């Protein structure tokens, strides 16, 4: 898994470098995004966890022709509904990189890797952290707006107590949202 992580970071860095190397034709990409986690779940030990909630963030990077790449930050808030336990409010901060392509048929697709993915319980500030990936698909038929569907997978392997989280928690979720991809020369 660490090899994949380092390869994805290197690939993203190369894409960002390639975009900035052709600055005469490249554009700065600024893309605020807003979404709602329509379905999230995780099976951890013997418990089944369901959650949904709002999120916001932004992407900052470059775009050359249809290729895009850069950095992504996302903040989420939701309530974990766990079988056999009390509900708990959570916040999550994710920071990572993305690469993607804008197709000429009003569709864009991207892959993101979150090298920092931290989930915090608001009542006691305990946290778990790890990394995650995202696959996104957007429809850009409306000017200055992209309607997006994203699939996210996270792997949490570290706790605030300083130990390893065993077994790892691996939530998966679908997010429906909108973004406003602005490109500046």
């Amino acid at each position: 898994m660490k090899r994949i992580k380092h390869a994805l970071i290197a690939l993203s860095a190369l894409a960002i470098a390639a975009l900035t190397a052709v600055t005469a034709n490249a554009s700065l990409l600024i893309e605020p995004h807003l979404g709602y986690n329509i379905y999230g779940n995780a099976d951890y030990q013997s418990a089944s966890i369901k959650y949904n909630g709002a999120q916001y963030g932004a992407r900052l990077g470059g775009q050359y022709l249809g290729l895009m790449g850069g950095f992504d930050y996302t903040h989420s808030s939701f309530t974990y509904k766990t079988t056999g336990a009390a509900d708990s409010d959570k916040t999550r901060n994710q920071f990572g990189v993305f690469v993607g392509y804008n197709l000429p048929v009003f569709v864009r697709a991207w892959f993101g890797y979150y090298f920092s993915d931290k989930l915090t319980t608001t009542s006691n500030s305990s946290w778990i952290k790890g990394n995650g990936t995202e696959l996104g698909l957007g429809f850009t038929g409306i000017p200055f707006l992209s309607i997006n569907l994203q699939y996210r997978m996270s792997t949490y392997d570290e706790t605030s107590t300083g130990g390893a989280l065993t077994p790892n928690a691996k939530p998966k979720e679908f997010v429906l949202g909108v973004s406003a991809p602005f490109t500046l020369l």
Side-chain angles (χ1 to χ4, degrees):
M1 183 66 175
K2 291 219 182 238
R3 287 184 187 173
I4 294 172
K5 176 180 175 180
H6 294 294
L8 289 172
I9 291 171
L11 179 63
S12 298
L14 282 173
I16 292 167
L19 289 171
T20 57
V22 290
T23 56
N25 295 324
S27 300
L28 175 67
L29 174 66
I30 301 170
E31 182 177 0
H33 55 81
L34 180 65
Y36 190 79
N37 182 330
I38 55 176
Y39 177 78
N41 83 351
D43 292 322
Y44 185 71
Q45 295 175 341
S46 61
S48 178
I49 302 167
K50 306 275 186 225
Y51 60 96
N52 56 14
Q55 67 175 33
Y56 62 88
R59 293 182 190 92
L60 177 64
Q63 184 169 305
Y64 177 70
L65 300 175
L67 183 64
M68 61 183 175
F71 298 97
D72 186 357
Y73 170 76
T74 302
H75 175 81
S76 306
S77 298
F78 40 80
T79 300
Y80 262 27
K81 297 177 184 189
T82 308
T83 56
D87 294 351
S88 62
D89 293 331
K90 308 280 188 184
T91 61
R92 180 175 60 200
N93 290 299
Q94 298 171 297
F95 184 72
V97 293
F98 74 96
V99 293
Y101 195 78
N102 288 312
L103 298 165
V105 291
F106 302 118
V107 176
R108 61 200 308 247
W110 66 91
F111 173 80
Y113 178 77
Y114 295 105
F115 47 82
S116 175
D117 190 336
K118 186 175 180 182
L119 181 69
T120 304
T121 303
T122 56
S123 63
N124 62 12
S125 298
S126 64
W127 52 263
I128 57 177
K129 68 180 179 176
N131 56 49
T133 56
E134 172 182 278
L135 296 172
L137 189 64
F139 172 71
T140 58
I142 303 168
F144 307 109
L145 193 66
S146 178
I147 300 169
N148 304 319
L149 178 64
Q150 297 144 274
Y151 176 67
R152 288 203 184 117
M153 303 158 284
S154 296
T155 300
Y156 298 111
D157 57 4
E158 186 180 340
T159 68
S160 56
T161 59
L165 184 62
T166 307
N168 295 342
K170 297 184 177 188
K172 296 169 180 62
E173 62 194 47
F174 286 95
V175 176
L176 184 61
V178 295
S179 62
F182 297 105
T183 52
L184 306 172
L185 293 177

